[in-house]
């Protein structure tokens, strides 16, 4: 059965080729998928899994564990293997976003693109707000920072930090984003953020000092960011807040999955536990399908 499934996999195939044995109207019941996580895991292909027969889903999950997730060959998934897979999925998704955007803007199919080409393909998109002088200046600053060789064009490798600056491992780009964050809130222009400036974009000043739970929560969060407790957020403190070096979404997701699926508490997820907790796993990034499998 697994050999049949593997036969259906194509090196250049899309997700539709993975679901080669689907039957309309049969398969995984909608009630088995957690609506809160459905699109995080399945995205635009959510409907396909609803049409998949249970045996096909089981074969796919078995193959995924055996071929892609399980490193020590015990046909079980421990926390390290799960986290390692999550990181793979996460970085793959980011790479695909960058490649898709680059190719969309690269009409001439060159090795790099100009800022004019990027602006032209982004203008008019539903999710692209109308440009302002401020937003345009910021885009230009990011572009120049990403342009490592100074030729006013971005290659694919240079385009990544520009297009997804908050996800890039680019210290200078992070510094630029911190500058923008402070600039948006620093009304007295002392290059620090006070508590009032910190909440100014979301709370009316007349609502302060009410003692409400939401206000106490904001003050508590501000205090955690304010590492030296001077009542002001500095550039390094804001950078630690926006880009915490220890923050790892893969680790958090892996631990959540392990807690919800490891019934016997042995630190590993067995095949039986995988099938028992389909609602958790099919709703998680950990079992992302489609091109990630190929």
């Amino acid at each position: 059965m697994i050999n049949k499934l593997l036969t259906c996999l194509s090196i250049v195939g899309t997700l539709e080729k993975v679901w080669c044995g689907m039957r309309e109207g049969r398969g995984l019941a909608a009630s088995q998928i957690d609506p809160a996580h459905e699109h995080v895991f399945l995205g635009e292909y959510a409907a396909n899994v609803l049409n998949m027969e249970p045996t096909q889903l089981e074969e796919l999950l078995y193959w995924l564990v055996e071929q892609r997730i399980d490193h020590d060959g015990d046909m079980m998934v421990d926390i390290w293997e799960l986290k390692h897979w999550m990181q793979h999925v996460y970085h793959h998704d980011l790479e695909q976003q960058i490649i898709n955007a680059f190719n969309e803007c690269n009409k001439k199919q060159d090795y790099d693109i100009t800022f004019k080409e990027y602006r032209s393909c982004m203008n008019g998109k539903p999710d692209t707000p109308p440009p302002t002088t401020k937003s345009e200046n910021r885009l230009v600053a990011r572009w120049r920072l990403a342009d490592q060789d100074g030729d006013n064009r971005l290659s694919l490798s240079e385009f990544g930090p520009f297009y997804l600056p908050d996800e890039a491992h680019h210290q200078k780009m992070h510094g630029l984003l911190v500058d923008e964050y402070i600039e948006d809130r620093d009304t007295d222009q002392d290059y620090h953020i006070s508590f009032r400036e910190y909440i100014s974009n979301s709370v009316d000043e007349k609502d302060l000092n009410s003692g409400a739970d939401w206000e106490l929560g904001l003050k508590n969060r501000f205090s955690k960011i304010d590492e030296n407790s001077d009542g002001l957020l500095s550039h390094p403190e804001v950078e630690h807040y926006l880009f915490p070096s220890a923050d790892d979404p893969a680790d958090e997701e892996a631990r959540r999955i392990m807690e919800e699926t490891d019934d016997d508490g042995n630190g590993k997820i067995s095949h039986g536990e995988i099938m028992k907790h389909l609602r958790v796993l099919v709703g998680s990034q950990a079992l992302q399908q489609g091109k990630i499998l190929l």
Side-chain angles (χ1 to χ4, degrees):
M1 296 289 281
I2 291 180
N3 287 336
K4 280 187 177 181
L5 178 65
L6 294 178
T7 301
C8 298
L9 293 173
S10 166
I11 296 299
V12 295
T14 61
L15 185 62
E16 285 76 15
K17 294 181 182 178
V18 178
W19 312 129
C20 52
M22 291 190 303
R23 297 292 183 272
E24 184 67 25
R26 299 176 60 189
L28 186 65
S31 61
Q32 288 181 266
I33 295 182
D34 187 347
H37 300 284
E38 177 180 343
H39 293 290
V40 173
F41 160 49
L42 300 171
E44 63 186 288
Y45 304 110
N48 288 348
V49 171
L50 297 179
N51 294 329
M52 194 176 217
E53 294 183 18
T55 55
Q56 293 172 320
L57 179 61
E58 182 171 1
E59 289 170 2
L60 179 60
L61 295 180
Y62 188 92
W63 175 85
L64 184 58
V65 170
E66 180 183 47
Q67 299 293 326
R68 303 303 304 274
I69 303 178
D70 178 28
H71 287 255
D72 57 16
D74 65 354
M75 284 307 296
M76 302 178 78
V77 180
D78 61 31
I79 187 69
W80 182 88
E81 292 168 334
L82 192 55
K83 179 180 177 180
H84 185 267
W85 174 251
M86 287 296 304
Q87 290 172 333
H88 174 66
V89 170
Y90 177 70
H91 291 299
H92 177 276
D93 286 349
L94 293 180
E95 289 171 3
Q96 280 304 122
Q97 290 180 49
I98 293 168
I99 291 171
N100 292 342
F102 183 84
N103 288 339
E104 182 179 0
C105 297
N106 189 15
K107 304 297 184 183
K108 297 180 181 178
Q109 298 185 342
D110 295 330
Y111 292 107
D112 46 28
I113 61 174
T114 65
F115 184 79
K116 183 178 180 180
E117 288 172 325
Y118 170 78
R119 231 15 196 135
S120 177
C121 79
M122 289 297 164
N123 284 340
K125 283 194 169 188
D127 57 347
T128 302
T132 64
T133 301
K134 183 177 181 179
S135 65
E136 202 70 4
N137 288 340
R138 287 182 172 183
L139 269 183
V140 170
R142 293 179 189 179
W143 184 277
R144 289 174 176 168
L145 192 58
D147 180 20
Q148 296 181 358
D149 56 13
D151 64 353
N152 295 320
R153 306 173 68 91
L154 296 187
S155 64
L156 179 58
S157 62
E158 293 172 326
F159 183 72
F162 166 77
Y163 186 67
L164 296 177
D166 52 336
E167 300 290 353
H169 296 290
H170 195 297
Q171 190 68 27
K172 291 183 178 179
M173 192 66 75
H174 286 181
L176 186 62
L177 295 183
V178 172
D179 289 340
E180 294 176 3
Y181 183 93
I182 293 176
E183 181 185 346
D184 287 340
R185 293 159 178 81
D186 182 23
T187 55
D188 61 7
Q189 298 183 339
D190 66 348
Y191 206 55
H192 288 76
I193 302 176
S194 66
F195 177 69
R196 289 183 180 276
E197 291 171 332
Y198 173 68
I199 64 174
S200 60
N201 289 345
S202 56
V203 178
D204 195 317
E205 188 168 342
K206 64 181 176 55
D207 294 326
L208 291 177
N209 302 317
S210 63
D213 290 342
W214 61 263
E215 184 177 350
L216 295 177
L218 287 174
K219 287 182 177 179
N220 184 53
R221 186 190 306 170
F222 181 87
S223 297
K224 290 180 179 179
I225 304 171
D226 181 18
E227 298 172 1
N228 63 1
S229 302
D230 66 349
L232 297 171
L233 303 185
S234 64
H235 191 283
E237 289 171 335
V238 172
E239 185 167 3
H240 293 164
Y241 167 60
L242 296 179
F243 306 103
S245 58
D247 186 35
D248 188 348
D251 182 69
E252 181 180 348
E253 176 75 352
R255 292 184 185 282
R256 182 191 72 82
I257 294 170
M258 188 64 68
E259 289 175 1
E260 296 187 28
T261 57
D262 181 22
D263 295 331
D264 57 15
N266 68 346
K268 295 187 176 184
I269 308 173
S270 66
H271 180 68
E273 289 169 334
I274 287 175
M275 298 312 300
K276 179 181 177 182
H277 296 286
L278 286 179
R279 181 182 176 87
V280 174
L281 292 170
V282 174
S284 167
Q285 290 185 8
L287 295 177
Q288 183 99 271
Q289 291 120 329
K291 295 178 182 178
I292 193 85
L293 296 179
L294 304 179

